[in-house]
Amino acid sequence: MKHFFLSCLTFLLISPLFGQVNVSTATGRRINYDHESGMAIITGDAVIHSSTATLKADEIQIDTKDKKGEAFGNVKIIQGTTTITGDKAIYYWRSSTGVFYGGEGFYPPWHFFGHTIVMEGRDIYHLESGGITSCDHDPPHYRIKSTRSKVVRNKRATLKNARLLLGDLPSFWSPVYTRSLVPRKYIFRLEPGQSSRDGITNRTIWGYPFTENSFTKVKWDYLQYTGNGVGLEHRYFNPRIRGNIDSYLVRDTNPDPVPDSRRFTILWDHFQKITSRLSMNARLDVKSDQSFGNEFSSAGNRIRVENSERGIFSEGGFRYQFPRATLQVQADRRDRFDSTVSSGNFISKLTLPRVTFNTIPLKWKFFPFYTSFSGNWTNETLTRSDPKQALRYQRSADLGVQIKKDFRIRKKMTVTPRAGYSQAWQDHDTAKPTSEGDIYNGRYNAGYDIRRRFGRILDVTVGQNYVARMEQNRFNDDLKADDHGVETNAVNLSFVSRIGRSSRLSMRSGYDLRSAPRNLPTKYSHTSERILSPSFDIQWQVKPRINVFFRETYSLFDSDNNKPVRTPANTSGEIQFGEYASTTFFSQGFSYTKGASGADSLLHLTNKLKFFLTSKWHLDIFLSYRAVGPNKINYKKALPIEKTIHLVRDLHCWVLRATFSDRTGIREASFHIDLKTDLKTQPKLYREDKDNPFYTYRDVIDENSDPFNSDEAKFSNEDSDIDETKDQGQ
């Protein structure tokens, strides 16, 4: 009530005069006002609010004639996002100017201070015996002091007779120091380091967002033994267009097995949504040699895909999404560089075009089974390794249909029969250069799955898959072939048990029912040769942050020695403490694959460790190595494969990062330091979609998939709940 009364009293007594100095309200514990002199004295938690600023102090004296105020003790003035404190201040409301003594100012993220701070308007400050810093620690870890300074908010700071102090230690002097205070959009980074191949290195990166939806990086690398490398990376994204261009060029003078040459790479990925249903994709991948990406790790995409040969790979196409189907038209070209056969590049393979069509499972009104169709037509050349070879085109097509239906026999039992047919066509036999006749090959498949749930945690699935091939250009089974025309005929069995949401146990195996091939009549003479490799898989959440993974596949028959065996073919596992994305994490993994008879036993081990050494030091270590021994677990030596250490030091105002890497043939070390005020997150140009932003059609269409793949049919329903099973497509 006292503050409220004094505020109202002040406003009623002096508002006619304060209107001249833009004062709207004033509060304090005691107020004295002299009408004749126009002086007002506010003491005890004095606060004056105006349209331009808020002034606080232990005592404020207001002169309405000179339109100024003098503040004493714990002075603070707030102008927008800027706050200035001091021991004493003189402030002019009308011009928003003033003088602070023993003052310190702050506007995020900068602090400035001075024996005297002269305010020249709202955004300009002159400092006497002062300086600036971005450290909010008291005392600051670093500061730049000067005799005289000028600070223009959000524009520039200029300091004369500037001295850099790290703590209280003078470290650098300059007659004049100036820096921009504009919030930085660009990044600039120097990464000095050392490499066993390149010697002393210094990687320079400058990046700038030229538009709201793009970010461009220019790279220049100094490599002591190899030469200078330059690169350009440009990423762009908007709701309909996204892509990435990455290029790098180096004149490689390194005296290694690769001769002196100009080496380069150009990578371009592009995706564009033309309409709500029609999209386009394109890709270009050019490399001077196969090993480029391994030796120049700073160039390329996040996941590098090497060409199969030295040359150019390009592709592009369109995709149209119907309500229940997808149509894809794609073309690609491979050019090859081979100085032994040609002085220039030549076409190695050309696909023009490849048309693919797929549907989702369709349900018909008078047909109870779900039906899906797939097909493709391809016009491409045979791969050639010499430009003198003719570009010989081959046309081929595939058309297939699959039907299936889930029948619930009981509450916890489901039977799923399925069948399908596919027809493949080629315009000639590629094995016969003079062949011109059409070639047709048909395949049909049939199978079923019977799934039964026992209790709430155990699912048992029994199924069979049968795939048969027809004679070429005929609709008869290919009974005269070595395999009697039967490509697959197996019964499969799986057990899946779940304990809670994050623990799971599964076992799988099967039995091959095919007859022995004509060219190997002794095959399947041992029953164990018919049993498909059993596998055992565990995913166990011991505690919320402790997980154990284990998988083992057994071999029951040694085809080299033609005898039954009982030995693990592959064993792998891992134990994890913590979450991988967190700052504290540990994992120990291993993988063992049985080698050839008489060969050394190899055990691959991996370690991942992330933790805080102290509250300021963070360590991230990855180790990969292999143990070698004569047999089983009798290992005599361990050979490193890769060692990588990331070290981060939080210096409050700076962040220091160092990386040490040692992998086969290459040893590298680098570090860089960033001022936190300069750390600006680049625009998030890519959405966190599960689908790849490029070639999204490949999540729907797998060019290498087989419509008769027994593995797909074998466990297609293992993760669904029978109690909640519904027909597909509903």
Side-chain angles (χ1 to χ4, degrees):
M1 289 296 293
K2 185 176 182 180
H3 276 274
F4 177 77
F5 172 74
L6 293 177
S7 176
C8 294
L9 178 63
T10 304
F11 184 82
L12 291 173
L13 289 176
I14 60 177
S15 59
L17 298 176
F18 280 7
Q20 302 175 20
V21 293
N22 300 322
V23 176
S24 56
T25 61
T27 62
R29 296 186 180 277
R30 182 182 180 88
I31 299 177
N32 295 319
Y33 178 66
D34 187 344
H35 282 277
E36 294 182 1
S37 63
M39 293 292 297
I41 301 176
I42 308 172
T43 58
D45 297 330
V47 180
I48 297 178
H49 297 280
S50 74
S51 59
T52 58
T54 298
L55 180 63
K56 300 179 180 181
D58 294 339
E59 179 181 325
I60 301 176
Q61 298 179 5
I62 302 175
D63 187 343
T64 59
K65 293 182 179 180
D66 292 338
K67 304 176 181 62
K68 73 174 184 179
E70 294 188 27
F72 305 90
N74 299 314
V75 181
K76 178 185 289 187
I77 188 169
I78 302 173
Q79 291 181 315
T81 59
T82 302
T83 301
I84 304 177
T85 60
D87 301 325
K88 177 184 176 181
I90 301 174
Y91 184 73
Y92 296 87
W93 271 275
R94 177 164 293 178
S95 59
S96 298
T97 60
V99 180
F100 274 73
Y101 299 94
E104 180 178 344
F106 171 73
Y107 71 90
W110 293 100
H111 297 258
F112 55 91
F113 54 91
H115 183 268
T116 303
I117 299 178
V118 179
M119 301 173 58
E120 184 184 323
R122 291 175 58 90
D123 298 326
I124 303 176
Y125 309 95
H126 295 272
L127 315 178
E128 296 290 337
S129 299
I132 63 172
T133 181
S134 63
C135 179
D136 57 5
H137 195 270
D138 187 17
H141 292 106
Y142 89 97
R143 50 190 166 163
I144 304 174
K145 298 186 67 176
S146 67
T147 306
R148 289 181 298 166
S149 310
K150 180 180 179 180
V151 177
V152 182
R153 191 177 68 160
N154 290 330
K155 289 188 177 180
R156 181 163 293 277
T158 304
L159 296 83
K160 297 182 179 179
N161 191 24
R163 305 176 302 280
L164 172 63
L165 278 71
L166 300 179
D168 293 326
L169 178 65
S171 302
F172 181 78
W173 174 86
S174 175
V176 178
Y177 172 77
T178 180
R179 69 156 292 151
S180 172
L181 301 181
V182 177
R184 281 176 48 174
K185 293 183 179 180
Y186 67 90
I187 62 169
F188 181 77
R189 177 177 295 170
L190 296 174
E191 297 184 12
Q194 194 274 339
S195 168
S196 59
R197 181 183 187 274
D198 302 319
I200 297 174
T201 65
N202 184 43
R203 304 185 187 277
T204 306
I205 301 174
W206 179 84
Y208 189 81
F210 288 98
T211 67
E212 293 183 356
N213 298 314
S214 69
F215 199 88
T216 304
K217 289 182 181 179
V218 179
K219 306 173 184 178
W220 176 74
D221 296 343
Y222 167 75
L223 311 172
Q224 181 184 9
Y225 300 145
T226 307
N228 293 324
V230 293
L232 178 68
E233 180 182 353
H234 179 69
R235 287 185 289 163
Y236 52 93
F237 171 81
N238 65 39
R240 289 187 173 272
I241 300 175
R242 55 187 179 269
N244 181 86
I245 302 173
D246 196 351
S247 60
Y248 194 84
L249 170 67
V250 61
R251 178 73 178 184
D252 192 349
T253 58
N254 197 304
D256 58 8
V258 179
D260 185 354
S261 62
R262 186 178 64 172
R263 306 176 68 185
F264 58 88
T265 182
I266 301 174
L267 302 172
W268 177 48
D269 284 309
H270 178 81
F271 174 82
Q272 182 171 350
K273 195 170 184 179
I274 301 173
T275 67
S276 60
R277 295 184 180 274
L278 179 63
S279 61
M280 179 190 75
N281 65 81
R283 187 182 191 195
L284 176 67
D285 188 348
V286 185
K287 286 188 182 67
S288 59
D289 56 87
Q290 172 68 10
S291 61
F292 186 94
N294 299 326
E295 295 175 353
F296 299 95
S297 58
S298 64
N301 289 336
R302 289 164 292 182
I303 301 177
R304 173 168 292 281
V305 180
E306 297 285 358
N307 284 337
S308 58
E309 65 271 330
R310 178 174 175 239
I312 302 174
F313 173 73
S314 59
E315 65 177 345
F318 295 89
R319 174 191 178 190
Y320 191 85
Q321 184 69 56
F322 295 94
R324 297 186 178 183
T326 301
L327 176 65
Q328 176 76 33
V329 180
Q330 191 77 9
D332 61 66
R333 169 174 169 169
R334 294 180 184 269
D335 284 32
R336 185 169 182 171
F337 303 147
D338 190 345
S339 58
T340 61
V341 297
S342 175
S343 59
N345 63 295
F346 59 91
I347 298 176
S348 175
K349 187 173 183 178
L350 181 64
T351 302
L352 188 67
R354 179 186 296 110
V355 182
T356 309
F357 180 79
N358 282 267
T359 71
I360 65 171
L362 304 172
K363 186 177 181 180
W364 310 94
K365 184 176 181 180
F366 301 104
F367 189 66
F369 286 81
Y370 287 96
T371 309
S372 57
F373 298 92
S374 63
N376 72 80
W377 183 84
T378 304
N379 179 42
E380 64 182 5
T381 64
L382 302 179
T383 302
R384 62 175 187 166
S385 57
D386 193 308
K388 296 179 181 179
Q389 297 173 345
L391 279 174
R392 189 182 181 191
Y393 280 89
Q394 176 188 3
R395 297 172 181 84
S396 61
D398 290 281
L399 183 64
V401 59
Q402 292 284 313
I403 60 173
K404 65 182 297 184
K405 175 69 174 179
D406 292 336
F407 294 97
R408 179 171 292 184
I409 306 302
R410 297 178 182 176
K411 182 179 179 180
K412 294 188 176 183
M413 179 179 288
T414 301
V415 177
T416 305
R418 61 182 180 276
Y421 177 80
S422 72
Q423 182 79 43
W425 166 81
Q426 294 178 203
D427 63 346
H428 63 273
D429 189 350
T430 57
K432 301 177 182 179
T434 59
S435 173
E436 295 295 339
D438 292 345
I439 299 175
Y440 297 89
N441 279 105
R443 287 181 175 85
Y444 62 90
N445 75 301
Y448 63 87
D449 284 320
I450 302 175
R451 184 178 178 188
R452 176 72 163 86
R453 169 160 289 186
F454 295 90
R456 298 181 59 86
I457 64 172
L458 178 62
D459 291 335
V460 179
T461 303
V462 178
Q464 183 176 1
N465 195 49
Y466 180 86
V467 180
R469 183 184 63 255
M470 296 182 176
E471 292 183 14
Q472 185 173 300
N473 293 342
R474 302 185 68 179
F475 284 94
N476 300 326
D477 288 350
D478 194 6
L479 301 177
K480 297 180 180 180
D482 288 338
D483 60 358
H484 307 281
V486 179
E487 297 182 351
T488 302
N489 186 13
V491 176
N492 307 294
L493 175 66
S494 70
F495 298 86
V496 179
S497 178
R498 298 175 180 84
I499 303 175
R501 294 185 176 182
S502 303
S503 297
R504 166 185 170 129
L505 168 66
S506 64
M507 293 180 288
R508 302 170 183 172
S509 186
Y511 191 83
D512 196 335
L513 300 175
R514 290 179 296 176
S515 301
R518 300 180 189 277
N519 59 347
L520 190 60
T522 59
K523 188 176 178 64
Y524 303 131
S525 58
H526 297 278
T527 303
S528 57
E529 193 172 0
R530 291 187 174 275
I531 300 176
L532 304 182
S533 297
S535 65
F536 177 76
D537 200 329
I538 294 178
Q539 177 181 326
W540 178 30
Q541 186 179 56
V542 183
K543 291 184 178 181
R545 294 176 60 84
I546 302 177
N547 293 277
V548 176
F549 305 91
F550 180 82
R551 179 180 179 86
E552 189 163 57
T553 302
Y554 282 86
S555 175
L556 301 180
F557 187 80
D558 186 350
S559 57
D560 294 334
N561 298 314
N562 196 30
K563 65 178 182 179
V565 294
R566 293 182 181 178
T567 180
N570 177 268
T571 305
S572 60
E574 185 177 17
I575 182 170
Q576 297 180 353
F577 296 88
E579 297 180 2
Y580 184 83
S582 65
T583 55
T584 303
F585 176 81
F586 171 78
S587 71
Q588 171 67 68
F590 72 93
S591 176
Y592 169 81
T593 301
K594 184 180 179 181
S597 178
D600 286 338
S601 177
L602 297 177
L603 177 65
H604 291 268
L605 301 168
T606 58
N607 285 101
K608 181 71 173 178
L609 177 63
K610 298 192 293 184
F611 67 99
F612 280 96
L613 289 169
T614 68
S615 60
K616 301 295 184 180
W617 286 93
H618 185 261
L619 192 63
D620 186 339
I621 303 175
F622 174 77
L623 301 176
S624 175
Y625 47 97
R626 63 183 184 272
V628 182
N631 53 54
K632 296 184 179 179
I633 60 173
N634 184 18
Y635 297 103
K636 300 297 185 181
K637 57 183 177 180
L639 303 176
I641 299 174
E642 180 178 351
K643 294 180 289 185
T644 302
I645 300 175
H646 297 283
L647 188 63
V648 180
R649 174 66 163 97
D650 184 353
L651 299 174
H652 189 265
C653 311
W654 296 280
V655 176
L656 171 67
R657 294 182 175 90
T659 301
F660 307 91
S661 177
D662 187 356
R663 59 188 188 274
T664 305
I666 298 178
R667 180 176 297 173
E668 296 177 320
S670 64
F671 73 92
H672 66 272
I673 186 170
D674 287 309
L675 188 63
K676 284 187 177 179
T677 56
D678 294 338
L679 287 174
K680 299 295 183 181
T681 304
Q682 297 179 24
K684 193 171 184 179
L685 302 181
Y686 301 112
R687 297 176 297 179
E688 297 295 332
D689 292 339
K690 292 183 179 180
D691 295 339
N692 189 334
F694 312 111
Y695 314 104
T696 53
Y697 66 91
R698 290 187 176 173
D699 296 320
V700 180
I701 303 170
D702 185 356
E703 297 173 357
N704 299 318
S705 64
D706 183 352
F708 305 108
N709 190 323
S710 60
D711 291 334
E712 292 181 0
K714 198 187 322 180
F715 304 110
S716 59
N717 294 324
E718 70 176 20
D719 292 326
S720 62
D721 190 334
I722 292 182
D723 294 337
E724 300 176 358
T725 301
K726 295 183 179 180
D727 289 339
Q728 297 185 31
Q730 285 185 340

